[in-house]
Amino acid sequence: MRRVTAIFLFLALAAAAPAATTDYLLGESVRQLGLRDAARQAGDGKSSERYVAPGGLGFYAEYSRDHIIVDGIKVMLDDAVGSQRGHLTISRRDYDKVFVPLFWESPRGPVRRILLDPGHGGKDTGKINGAQKYNEKAATLDTAARLKLLLEKQGYEVFLTRNSDVFVDLEDRPAFAAKLRADLFISLHYNAGPAGDDTADGVETYCLTPAGQRSTNAGKARSTTAAEPANRFDGPNLLLAWSIQRRMIRTTGSDDRGVRRARFSVLRTLACPGVLIEGGFMSSRREGALIAEAAYRQKIAEAIAAGVADYVGRARPPAKATK
Ligand SMILES: [Zn+2]
């Protein structure tokens, strides 16, 4: 009888609970992951907290922001950073899908075979930079060829979804990864801003949106939030995206548009971890000119190769501290 009352009371409370109770206190939750406090600033709408992991990896969070900064790199959250009595809070799903994979664990299988996916091809030119007379399909194929050489030097078996200027269906790209039994999939793209905008620039890396979450490219609309087959790699997907984005920003000095999430068709059905990279804006007067230069594409390739090495070589975190 008492138990029934307790269950009923729990259900009544859960139903009436405000959204905030589904949040975790940031400090409390990341200390469980072995991080320690590094800095804290409380103030009118400008609260921020900083934490450091035993290996030195740290992050910075600020009230109301839609992202955190992890070792200098912007990682988009599903819910903005909240606050409870002067302490920052994060949502449970961000704890599970961002903090745990980045700071605690991302079970990763061995990586031997990598499939590179130069975006577009053939009748699909992708983005075009008229001033440079250069287009995305040529830039992605060239970047893939450079990256292949670098990854082969690291000892991987590397394949491309296309080796020449041919059209490849979007669905065939992840299907090829499954057929090859690839261990990683990296799709290469270059971006473009709205028509007539030649100033938007920066580099961003996408991984598949976790089930139930909004894609960062979907505006405010919560379009589909369905689960996809490749959601079983949510942790490794994010870790790979962050590892590559970090190296790209450090190498190019480009504007960091962050680690983002989308349900791109090339990512949804993958049978291995994968990411989609936007290595700069074809449409930008400044960046478009850079992308047309071999030296920039080589830098991007070197950064991605270094990001893959970081992902593969990342040591497992120390055993969880017991209370
Ligand atoms: Zn593209």
Side-chain angles (χ1 to χ4, degrees), residues 119-120 126-127 136 140 188-191 276-278:
H120 312 278
K127 311 288 166 32
E136 189 185 353
T140 60
L188 301 166
H189 289 257
Y190 289 94
N191 222 332
L276 184 144
I277 291 161
E278 297 278 6

Side-chain angles (χ1 to χ4, degrees), residues 135-259:
N135 55 40
E136 189 185 353
K137 68 173 181 177
T140 60
L141 183 59
D142 177 83
T143 308
R146 293 171 188 277
L147 178 54
K148 181 174 192 284
L149 289 178
L150 294 166
L151 290 171
E152 281 172 348
K153 266 192 216 157
Q154 290 182 20
Y156 299 110
E157 255 188 292
V158 186
F159 296 83
L160 271 61
T161 52
R162 64 181 178 94
N163 288 284
S164 60
D165 184 16
V166 293
F167 178 77
V168 182
D169 269 317
L170 283 179
E171 312 80 82
D172 291 346
R173 298 172 189 245
F176 187 34
K179 211 165 100 186
L180 263 184
R181 293 172 183 264
D183 302 306
L184 286 185
F185 175 90
I186 300 171
S187 191
L188 301 166
H189 289 257
Y190 289 94
N191 222 332
D197 179 355
D198 65 359
T199 57
D201 57 12
V203 167
E204 59 197 20
T205 304
Y206 284 90
C207 56
L208 179 66
T209 316
Q213 297 197 9
R214 287 159 294 191
S215 293
T216 39
N217 66 343
K220 282 191 176 154
R222 187 179 274 270
S223 46
T224 168
T225 55
E228 303 288 350
N231 278 132
R232 66 185 188 277
F233 306 112
D234 279 346
N237 286 344
L238 179 72
L239 188 61
L240 180 63
W242 173 78
S243 302
I244 290 175
Q245 178 73 4
R246 177 170 165 271
R247 289 288 188 165
M248 286 199 298
I249 297 305
R250 288 191 174 184
T251 307
T252 62
S254 299
D255 189 20
D256 172 24
R257 295 175 58 91
V259 173

Side-chain angles (χ1 to χ4, degrees), residues 14-291:
T21 58
T22 63
D23 288 350
Y24 291 148
L25 285 171
L26 177 62
E28 219 166 76
S29 61
V30 299
R31 280 191 284 269
Q32 293 288 315
L33 302 177
L35 283 85
R36 58 179 174 77
D37 303 44
R40 194 171 117 75
Q41 195 179 43
D44 305 336
K46 232 330 222 163
S47 316
S48 65
E49 295 175 14
R50 192 184 291 277
Y51 297 89
V52 189
L57 180 65
F59 78 90
Y60 170 84
E62 197 175 308
Y63 174 64
S64 83
R65 291 292 170 92
D66 61 358
H67 63 269
I68 52 168
I69 308 281
V70 183
D71 199 20
I73 297 302
K74 201 187 278 183
V75 177
M76 303 303 291
L77 300 173
D78 195 40
D79 301 291
V81 177
S83 175
Q84 260 176 40
R85 290 183 213 92
H87 293 271
L88 296 184
T89 61
I90 49 164
S91 69
R92 281 183 192 197
R93 53 187 171 209
D94 282 323
Y95 177 77
D96 289 343
K97 296 299 180 178
V98 174
F99 291 84
V100 171
L102 285 180
F103 298 105
W104 187 246
E105 63 172 347
S106 288
R108 286 151 291 146
V111 178
R112 293 187 201 96
R113 192 173 281 185
I114 301 175
L115 179 60
L116 304 179
D117 175 42
H120 312 278
K123 64 183 181 187
D124 173 14
T125 39
K127 311 288 166 32
I128 297 168
N129 186 307
Q132 302 296 330
K133 297 187 174 54
Y134 197 56
N135 55 40
E136 189 185 353
K137 68 173 181 177
T140 60
L141 183 59
D142 177 83
T143 308
R146 293 171 188 277
L147 178 54
K148 181 174 192 284
L149 289 178
L150 294 166
L151 290 171
E152 281 172 348
K153 266 192 216 157
Q154 290 182 20
Y156 299 110
E157 255 188 292
V158 186
F159 296 83
L160 271 61
T161 52
R162 64 181 178 94
N163 288 284
S164 60
D165 184 16
V166 293
F167 178 77
V168 182
D169 269 317
L170 283 179
E171 312 80 82
D172 291 346
R173 298 172 189 245
F176 187 34
K179 211 165 100 186
L180 263 184
R181 293 172 183 264
D183 302 306
L184 286 185
F185 175 90
I186 300 171
S187 191
L188 301 166
H189 289 257
Y190 289 94
N191 222 332
D197 179 355
D198 65 359
T199 57
D201 57 12
V203 167
E204 59 197 20
T205 304
Y206 284 90
C207 56
L208 179 66
T209 316
Q213 297 197 9
R214 287 159 294 191
S215 293
T216 39
N217 66 343
K220 282 191 176 154
R222 187 179 274 270
S223 46
T224 168
T225 55
E228 303 288 350
N231 278 132
R232 66 185 188 277
F233 306 112
D234 279 346
N237 286 344
L238 179 72
L239 188 61
L240 180 63
W242 173 78
S243 302
I244 290 175
Q245 178 73 4
R246 177 170 165 271
R247 289 288 188 165
M248 286 199 298
I249 297 305
R250 288 191 174 184
T251 307
T252 62
S254 299
D255 189 20
D256 172 24
R257 295 175 58 91
V259 173
R260 308 170 79 93
R261 294 175 194 83
R263 292 183 172 85
F264 289 131
S265 8
V266 294
L267 299 181
R268 284 202 311 253
T269 58
L270 280 175
C272 63
V275 292
L276 184 144
I277 291 161
E278 297 278 6
F281 276 62
M282 300 288 302
S283 55
S284 152
R285 203 179 330 154
R286 192 186 62 82
E287 227 166 59
L290 281 176
I291 295 165

